[in-house]
Amino acid sequence: MDKILILDFGSQYTMLIARRIRELSVYSEIHPFNMPVEEIKRFNPKGIILSGGPASVYDEGAPTVSLDLFAMGVPVLGICYGMQLITHVMGGKVEASDKREYGFARVKVDQEDPLFSDIDDFVRDGEISVWMSHSDRIEVLPGGFVSIGKTENTPFAAMRSGRGDIYGVQFHPEVVHTPAGIKILENFVTKICGAARDWTVGSFIDQSIEKIREKVGEGKVILGLSGGVDSSVAAVLIHRAVGDRLHCIFVNNGLLRKNEAEEVISVFRDSIGLNLIYADASERFLDALKGVTDPERKRKIIGETFIRVFEEEAEKLGQVEFLAQGTLYPDVIESVSFKGPSATIKTHHNVGGLPERMNLKLIEPLRELFKDEVRRVGRELGVPEKILTRHPFPGPGLAVRIIGEVTKESLEILRQADAIVEEEIRKAGLYESIWQAFAVLLPVKTVGVMGDERTYENVVAVRAVHSLDGMTADWVELPYGVLKTISNRIINEVRGVNRVVYDISSKPPSTIEWE
Ligand code: XMP
């Protein structure tokens, strides 16, 4: 399989570069900028992309690359900081500047160059629209390089080496604000690097199955199945590879949504035929949570109880060698990048400490994939759409949506209210365009009237947010009609609730969950 290596210099767009290239059906991986050249040679890329980054090549300790990188005979494309770095290390001149060029710009590009071939559709008056975000500028190109793009501000918005194997662009081809960007990346990857477009969902599945079989041999694998997208797709993929030697453990922590346990069992055991162990530990979790009101203590108790239950179930299986997890690529990059996004979504299903204690080897078949790729793999493997498009649900479940103590009664109220929110959002055709929508039970009683009687009951807050990755989020402008139905139904159908409010806070400064 042909691969493109992306060296990360800390740009907020690095992950986008990888995604764009994979969208072209070419496999790409992100590694830190200081990956040793020997290791790069072993990786054997068809091409290398140097990402943008926040530094200036003149900063003390600015991330850099060795000249050896350019002597490997592998085509290189530098984007923004990557272009300045090529210029700097290859003997050109970059001028430090405090003045930032940010936003749309027009570039006159050399359409004779392979990098800019077939972009007629995007050219107006001889120019293309691009997205810029830089402050330093290139004053002198390295020896032998020629300019292949200029703007009003600079004669060096794009460059090419004399041999035609090293390229630089000052703008960001990976963002949607550069409409010709995907074509430019395609030109680099296919025309200049000559990479074959053979990275497909089908080829990924075949290769994964082979790798898993090789690794597992005749061994046994356990996996904590939550019914969420990642663990579900991982389970079905591994099941394809090793069949019933995969043992999925589904723990009911008593904090699940309405009918969730039944659905997980029916889909995975009955329809898909996984070897599923159902551990109903609801009472145990609820006992452990008795009297606990602090959110972080709740999380800790739930996490610890989960590990204990999981471990007990695993021990019943006798000798197990492997633990499978649905770790995704963003989590992997997070831990290796020069300067990645500030926080990740953690799930307590990633059973911390367990591999060491039980002496298990990890299997993470999705660790090279982005979320949308996982969904595509799941689809190809026949995982039901309902599972693949399910909203994210926190590991500690409804416990972090009940403010204060979690009891059987409060769970019952919240479960019903939450089910109504989901039902109405689905009915309105909004479910798949929303990141998360749910109900929260507040420890507040307010006065109401029902019939001729005065009531004194609970408040339910409804929350619906748009988000791309859970790191930032904004509340959804749900149509009034939908809000009205949700409110009417909750107040009429859920005993113990007489008031519904809508959460109109964005993250930051709020969070998505209330606890
Ligand atoms: P917040 O509330 O931090 O949530 O804005 C961001 C995303 O993470 C989910 N979330 C959790 N997931 N364990 C999890 O597995 C947790 O303790 C947890 N807390 C929040 C939340 O649902 C949202 O998608």
Side-chain angles (χ1 to χ4, degrees):
M1 188 174 58
D2 288 348
K3 296 179 284 194
I4 298 292
L5 172 68
I6 298 161
L7 292 180
D8 182 22
F9 292 88
S11 164
Q12 55 177 326
Y13 302 130
T14 304
M15 221 188 282
L16 261 184
I17 305 173
R19 304 194 52 143
R20 293 285 172 263
I21 296 193
R22 290 197 191 179
E23 278 162 23
L24 295 166
S25 303
V26 177
Y27 183 70
S28 68
E29 265 185 36
I30 300 171
H31 286 264
F33 70 91
N34 55 2
M35 184 178 189
V37 170
E38 280 316 305
E39 222 174 283
I40 295 178
K41 284 185 183 154
R42 275 198 299 279
F43 184 80
N44 192 21
K46 285 293 271 191
I48 300 174
I49 295 181
L50 312 181
S51 84
S56 159
V57 291
Y58 293 113
D59 287 348
E60 206 178 306
T64 188
V65 286
S66 137
L67 261 180
D68 297 345
L69 185 83
F70 304 103
M72 287 169 46
V74 176
V76 178
L77 169 67
I79 294 174
C80 200
Y81 180 79
M83 176 183 185
Q84 292 164 2
L85 193 61
I86 294 172
T87 307
H88 185 63
V89 300
M90 298 194 84
K93 187 160 178 273
V94 178
E95 179 150 289
S97 150
D98 298 334
K99 229 176 81 202
R100 220 157 110 87
E101 184 178 20
Y102 182 81
F104 282 107
R106 310 274 305 161
V107 184
K108 186 167 172 43
V109 295
D110 174 5
Q111 283 183 258
E112 300 291 310
D113 193 280
L115 190 67
F116 298 121
S117 59
D118 305 322
I119 56 165
D120 284 339
D121 290 353
F122 306 100
V123 178
R124 301 270 173 287
D125 303 327
E127 296 175 332
I128 58 168
S129 230
V130 301
W131 186 255
M132 294 277 194
S133 171
H134 66 107
S135 39
D136 293 0
R137 41 180 282 151
I138 291 165
E139 288 297 311
V140 182
L141 295 181
F145 275 70
V146 291
S147 167
I148 52 169
K150 55 185 175 197
T151 69
E152 260 188 353
N153 291 330
T154 170
F156 309 125
M159 65 179 188
R160 184 196 63 216
S161 65
R163 287 217 315 251
D165 57 345
I166 301 171
Y167 277 85
V169 289
Q170 187 55 74
F171 55 88
H172 288 276
E174 69 275 25
V175 303
V176 290
H177 307 299
T178 302
I182 188 79
K183 188 69 205 170
I184 294 170
L185 288 173
E186 181 185 331
N187 287 338
F188 176 71
V189 166
T190 59
K191 296 207 167 93
I192 296 160
C193 304
R197 304 174 72 160
D198 52 7
W199 161 254
T200 61
V201 164
S203 69
F204 169 83
I205 293 174
D206 293 343
Q207 284 166 14
S208 301
I209 290 177
E210 222 171 278
K211 273 195 248 168
I212 295 167
R213 281 189 185 143
E214 204 173 291
K215 184 161 178 184
V216 171
E218 292 303 309
K220 255 190 217 170
V221 187
I222 47 169
L223 174 143
L225 185 77
S226 69
V229 182
D230 310 343
S231 66
S232 301
V233 174
V236 177
L237 180 59
I238 297 169
H239 183 249
R240 279 270 175 104
V242 303
D244 279 353
R245 275 179 291 125
L246 170 70
H247 300 263
C248 298
I249 301 174
F250 170 50
V251 177
N252 183 345
N253 57 10
L255 307 165
L256 304 177
R257 289 161 288 190
K258 191 174 167 187
N259 298 331
E260 195 168 359
E262 293 78 358
E263 274 171 22
V264 169
I265 293 170
S266 129
V267 168
F268 292 100
R269 184 186 278 165
D270 307 341
S271 308
I272 299 184
L274 293 190
N275 197 351
L276 183 73
I277 298 158
Y278 174 55
D280 184 356
S282 315
E283 296 293 336
R284 190 157 157 188
F285 278 87
L286 283 186
D287 277 348
L289 286 169
K290 214 167 252 164
V292 179
T293 53
D294 176 70
E296 281 316 301
R297 267 203 71 211
K298 283 184 190 173
R299 276 196 174 77
K300 215 162 165 249
I301 290 170
I302 295 164
E304 283 168 6
T305 313
F306 178 85
I307 288 180
R308 242 172 279 138
V309 173
F310 189 86
E311 218 165 6
E312 285 165 21
E313 292 302 326
E315 269 160 16
K316 290 183 200 159
L317 295 170
Q319 178 68 24
V320 175
E321 292 87 4
F322 300 94
L323 172 73
Q325 289 185 164
T327 314
L328 302 196
Y329 198 45
D331 303 322
V332 177
I333 312 174
E334 175 79 4
S335 56
V336 299
S337 268
F338 164 59
K339 198 173 165 200
S342 56
T344 16
I345 304 169
K346 300 277 178 260
T347 94
H348 77 279
H349 295 292
N350 295 347
V351 272
L354 201 70
E356 296 80 29
R357 264 213 312 284
M358 293 184 67
N359 198 16
L360 296 170
K361 286 184 235 112
L362 278 182
I363 297 188
E364 299 177 309
L366 310 179
R367 60 181 280 129
E368 288 155 5
L369 302 188
F370 291 108
K371 193 88 170 186
D372 55 321
E373 293 173 327
V374 172
R375 290 209 172 93
R376 293 217 304 271
V377 169
R379 222 157 262 146
E380 182 98 0
L381 289 169
V383 177
E385 208 56 27
K386 193 160 180 200
I387 301 275
L388 296 178
T389 54
R390 190 107 231 222
H391 287 174
F393 186 61
L398 298 180
V400 290
R401 295 179 181 170
I402 291 172
I403 314 304
E405 190 186 358
V406 178
T407 62
K408 262 196 181 140
E409 296 70 38
S410 57
L411 278 167
E412 197 38 46
I413 293 176
L414 182 59
R415 234 174 233 133
Q416 288 181 37
D418 187 68
I420 291 172
V421 173
E422 181 176 329
E423 242 174 82
E424 291 305 323
I425 299 260
R426 279 190 190 277
K427 246 189 241 163
L430 298 171
Y431 188 84
E432 283 173 26
S433 63
I434 288 175
W435 170 262
Q436 273 175 298
F438 54 88
V440 182
L441 184 64
L442 309 187
V444 178
K445 296 221 168 191
T446 72
V447 174
V449 281
M450 247 184 212
D452 293 328
E453 275 185 55
R454 179 182 180 282
T455 58
Y456 190 55
E457 304 275 26
N458 296 290
V459 181
V460 160
V462 174
R463 180 116 169 103
V465 294
H466 287 309
S467 174
L468 285 175
D469 50 16
M471 313 248 189
T472 61
D474 208 356
W475 58 281
V476 178
E477 294 188 30
L478 285 181
Y480 282 162
V482 176
L483 284 171
K484 192 173 185 154
T485 316
I486 289 175
S487 158
N488 281 345
R489 282 197 58 198
I490 292 177
I491 292 171
N492 288 327
E493 295 173 32
V494 184
R495 281 190 85 143
V497 179
N498 68 355
R499 192 176 297 271
V500 171
V501 296
Y502 189 54
D503 183 348
I504 51 170
S505 331
S506 63
K507 171 184 179 174
S510 293
T511 50
I512 295 177
E513 304 292 345
W514 275 46
E515 283 200 332

